[in-house]
Amino acid sequence: MSDTTRRRPLGGLLAASVIALATAGAASTAYANEPPQNDGLNATYWTQNAVEFKANTYAMYALARMRLDEALADKKWTALPGEQGDNYESKPTAVILDIDETVLDNSEYQAWTVKTGNGFSSKTWTPFVNTVTSRQIPGSLEFIKYAQSKGVAIYYISNRKDVEEKATIENLKKFGYPVDDAGETVLVRGEKEEWKKSAKSPRRMSVGATHRVLLNIGDNLGDFTDESDGTPAERVAFYKANQDRWGREWIMIANPTYGSWEGAAFGFNWKLPDGEKRQMKLDKMDAWVGPK
């Protein structure tokens, strides 16, 4: 103990102790009031606030404009391998786009799930859709208007349900996206008997029956194949087998907030406890062993 400490008045020591205890108490209270952990926080924050996200989606749609011009000049070009059918070269042209996180931004719903600790549920998703407050994905409207100026038809294939179609059309029209009031170009799940399931192949084929599809644009593997619910290894195999199509006929928009990529980590068993699903994701990550 230094001489200075020995000569400190008792009142000063008590005051210092009180301040230290108060500081520790405040720190403890602050820690106790920290928001709970949520796997979607960073991804949702990035989607809503990062310029990097906006720049990325705008760049993907700029690429889509260039690819569209290439596709128009090449009569053999199709974005529906195995689904386009025969004698498509002389058909009128079209592009297919997913809606959620491809054309419309639903990050407000995702932010709500993060802040409240709720998971996705149709009981809350449908009311959100009905608010008609989804935002625009940067670059999507410019691309669609460009394609339309070239005489290319616009089709939206979405896994929103048929009961959500009216609000979806209203939301698209709100921003000037081309869509007919009857919804003939908006193909949602359950709209027809053969469209009850989330698999999009029947709907893609219905567009391919009347049009040569130049581009397919989405944010999830399921927008390009019905085999998206496979194991991580099977998904990688599909990606590699179609490597030449990415960025050419198929344009993928980044979506870190949700998708089949997450479910693949735990065999799409969404009923598992959150901690167990989180552990299974951690187990599938390759990590550095750390400094020695």
Side-chain angles (χ1 to χ4, degrees):
M1 184 181 292
S2 70
D3 187 59
T4 303
T5 303
R6 285 200 304 268
R7 290 200 298 264
R8 182 178 294 170
L10 182 59
L13 289 172
L14 288 172
S17 298
V18 170
I19 292 171
L21 287 170
T23 302
S28 177
T29 302
Y31 182 81
N33 292 333
E34 282 187 355
Q37 177 174 310
N38 189 293
D39 290 1
L41 174 58
N42 273 357
T44 303
Y45 179 86
W46 185 76
T47 300
Q48 276 200 347
N49 298 284
V51 168
E52 290 85 347
F53 171 72
K54 296 172 177 60
N56 178 264
T57 62
Y58 203 88
M60 288 297 98
Y61 276 111
L63 172 62
R65 288 198 296 272
M66 292 187 288
R67 293 306 194 189
L68 184 76
D69 289 339
E70 292 180 50
L72 286 168
D74 182 356
K75 294 291 186 180
K76 294 291 185 181
W77 183 301
T78 175
L80 299 183
E83 298 177 338
Q84 178 68 83
D86 299 327
N87 304 315
Y88 62 86
E89 294 84 354
S90 59
K91 291 179 179 178
T93 55
V95 295
I96 291 174
L97 301 101
D98 171 55
I99 292 180
D100 295 314
E101 291 21 279
T102 299
V103 172
L104 293 180
D105 167 8
N106 306 294
S107 59
E108 285 190 342
Y109 178 81
Q110 293 303 124
W112 174 80
T113 65
V114 170
K115 289 188 174 185
T116 63
N118 287 285
F120 174 86
S121 168
S122 58
K123 292 180 180 179
T124 56
W125 170 248
T126 298
F128 170 76
V129 169
N130 289 337
T131 65
V132 193
T133 54
S134 295
R135 304 171 180 180
Q136 291 175 267
I137 292 293
S140 60
L141 182 59
E142 292 91 333
F143 165 75
I144 288 173
K145 286 189 172 181
Y146 180 78
Q148 199 176 33
S149 74
K150 298 287 187 176
V152 178
I154 310 298
Y155 281 87
Y156 309 92
I157 297 182
S158 171
N159 274 339
R160 291 189 175 196
K161 297 178 181 177
D162 55 345
V163 295
E164 299 159 349
E165 185 174 23
K166 182 179 178 182
T168 300
I169 291 172
E170 186 179 347
N171 209 151
L172 290 168
K173 292 179 70 176
K174 174 182 175 181
F175 295 117
Y177 290 101
V179 57
D180 60 302
D181 291 330
E184 294 299 319
T185 57
V186 179
L187 285 56
V188 296
R189 181 157 50 107
E191 188 176 348
K192 294 183 179 180
E193 182 66 26
E194 60 269 30
W195 297 353
K196 278 187 174 182
K197 296 182 179 180
S198 60
K200 291 187 172 182
S201 179
R203 285 173 278 167
R204 288 193 297 265
M205 292 177 70
S206 72
V207 178
T210 57
H211 291 75
R212 176 167 72 96
V213 178
L214 308 180
L215 299 175
N216 187 10
I217 305 177
D219 67 292
N220 182 44
L221 195 62
D223 296 325
F224 305 91
T225 175
D226 292 346
E227 305 303 319
S228 61
D229 287 357
T231 65
E234 289 169 340
R235 289 164 57 84
V236 169
F238 178 84
Y239 151 74
K240 289 183 176 179
N242 293 278
Q243 208 155 20
D244 292 342
R245 295 193 171 96
W246 304 114
R248 192 174 182 271
E249 307 104 286
W250 295 351
I251 307 293
M252 181 73 82
I253 305 298
N255 174 15
T257 59
Y258 66 88
S260 57
W261 53 267
E262 182 181 13
F266 42 82
F268 298 93
N269 186 358
W270 295 96
K271 294 182 179 180
L272 289 173
D274 288 344
E276 189 172 343
K277 289 185 289 188
R278 187 176 299 123
Q279 185 61 57
M280 293 176 78
K281 285 187 278 186
L282 285 168
D283 291 343
K284 287 180 172 59
M285 292 174 63
D286 296 327
W288 177 44
V289 295
K292 297 181 180 179

